[in-house]
Amino acid sequence: MATSRSAAAGRVLAYLESGKNLAGGACGLAGLGLTVTGAAGTYWPVVVAGLYGAGALIAPPERPAPPGPRGPSQQLDDVRERFGRLREYVAEVDLPDPADGRLAELMEVYGALLEPGWVADVLAAGPESVHALSRAIELDVPECVDTYHRTRWWTRLTPGGESPERHMERQLSLLYEEAERLTADLREAEARRQQTHTTYLEERGQHS
């Protein structure tokens, strides 16, 4: 019951501070001014109330507060969710070899990087790494698969030129190379952190 009263009091306070109440109050004051001058006559309560309601109605709606900054763990959760949808999508598509094998390798690397644990913690520490992985999962891989299917359809009507299978294989290879570079960068970052901790322990030992 106390919680309900507190919530109700909070809503009342929020309305008192709102733009609608302020606008209605200003119009209501104008109605009181008419009452003082005698223009409102005996119906001054109706005039004041009507002007207050009109002011509250014409006031612009309250803008919602902007969302707070998302932390690294929340950003990774978003990437994991998109990766889950991507994995379901590619499981239903029919791709030729060796592109199918390359895609499977790529998805394995993405899954290992996003697996909850210390590797994901290292990934979350680098905003650029999170952005690169998110871009690949949300844009690059789906576009690669979709473009292959669209191009293959046109190739059936007008044969000739480089096959869409070759383009797709090359695109997936480039994405795999990018994933390898990302993994190497994370490994180097962890190695630097280990070296930093070793140096710290050595210096602490010298001063003990």
Side-chain angles (χ1 to χ4, degrees):
M1 182 67 67
T3 302
S4 299
R5 286 197 295 267
S6 298
R11 289 193 293 269
V12 171
L13 181 60
Y15 178 77
L16 291 176
E17 297 176 347
S18 68
K20 286 184 175 297
N21 181 54
L22 295 176
C27 291
L29 288 176
L32 289 176
L34 293 176
T35 301
V36 172
T37 61
T42 58
Y43 298 100
W44 68 267
V46 177
V47 172
V48 172
L51 288 174
Y52 176 88
L57 287 174
I58 64 175
E62 298 290 333
R63 293 185 178 182
R70 298 180 63 79
S73 60
Q74 293 175 312
Q75 293 176 358
L76 272 188
D77 288 341
D78 292 343
V79 178
R80 288 192 186 100
E81 183 179 350
R82 290 193 291 268
F83 177 66
R85 294 196 297 266
L86 175 62
R87 189 154 45 188
E88 294 176 357
Y89 169 64
V90 299
E92 299 177 354
V93 299
D94 183 22
L95 301 177
D97 292 328
D100 185 61
R102 178 59 76 183
L103 179 59
E105 294 174 348
L106 183 62
M107 298 295 288
E108 183 177 355
V109 174
Y110 291 162
L113 290 173
L114 291 171
E115 184 72 23
W118 67 269
V119 175
D121 293 340
V122 176
L123 175 64
E128 293 182 358
S129 299
V130 175
H131 173 72
L133 186 59
S134 175
R135 178 186 59 199
I137 290 173
E138 186 174 7
L139 299 176
D140 295 334
V141 175
E143 179 65 19
C144 179
V145 176
D146 292 344
T147 301
Y148 162 73
H149 283 290
R150 292 194 301 267
T151 308
R152 186 178 63 170
W153 188 88
W154 285 108
T155 303
R156 290 173 180 173
L157 297 180
T158 56
E162 191 170 5
S163 67
E165 290 80 7
R166 291 288 301 276
H167 277 292
M168 183 181 188
E169 181 185 351
R170 179 56 179 159
Q171 292 169 2
L172 291 174
S173 295
L174 291 172
L175 289 173
Y176 186 80
E177 293 172 4
E178 182 182 66
E180 284 187 321
R181 289 194 299 271
L182 175 59
T183 304
D185 291 341
L186 296 177
R187 183 170 57 246
E188 291 178 4
E190 185 64 15
R192 287 194 299 269
R193 188 171 70 171
Q194 184 183 36
Q195 180 60 46
T196 300
H197 189 60
T198 300
T199 303
Y200 161 74
L201 292 176
E202 290 174 347
E203 291 178 352
R204 190 176 69 180
Q206 293 173 0
H207 293 87
S208 61

